[in-house]
Amino acid sequence: KLIDQRYAHPHPLEFLLAGGAENLQDAAYRFCRYEPGVHVTLCGTGNIKHLEDNVASILRPPLPETVCERLRQMFRAVNSVSGN
């Protein structure tokens, strides 16, 4: 199971928006930027506005720890990029 069934919900990541993220991309970059052990976060786009938004997200403060912990719990069984 990719996501713990306790978090099964039509919009399982909407708590990120209530937790201070501007959107899901913002939450993803901020989570990765401050997660211990992550040394490189790749972003790719052909759109300069998207790149500027991505950099702005990376430069924002971390998400609240309660939000980060919930993400860690939701995806704790994932051990590879493919979701296995």
Side-chain angles (χ1 to χ4, degrees):
K1 295 177 184 175
L2 178 60
I3 297 177
D4 188 312
Q5 289 305 299
R6 290 178 295 164
Y7 301 105
H9 182 277
H11 304 285
L13 298 176
E14 90 182 338
F15 73 93
L16 295 168
L17 304 178
E22 291 189 5
N23 52 48
L24 295 181
Q25 294 84 354
D26 179 60
Y29 283 118
R30 290 169 65 192
F31 178 79
C32 290
R33 163 68 175 85
Y34 294 99
E35 186 64 7
V38 176
H39 301 287
V40 176
T41 301
L42 300 177
C43 63
T45 181
N47 181 308
I48 192 69
K49 174 68 171 115
H50 293 167
L51 180 60
E52 291 169 348
D53 291 345
N54 296 344
V55 170
S57 292
I58 290 168
L59 295 175
R60 283 192 186 95
L63 295 168
E65 182 55 31
T66 55
V67 171
C68 293
E69 185 54 34
R70 186 166 174 184
L71 284 170
R72 289 183 202 107
Q73 287 300 311
M74 286 179 74
F75 295 98
R76 71 181 178 271
V78 177
N79 61 17
S80 74
V81 175
S82 67
N84 295 324

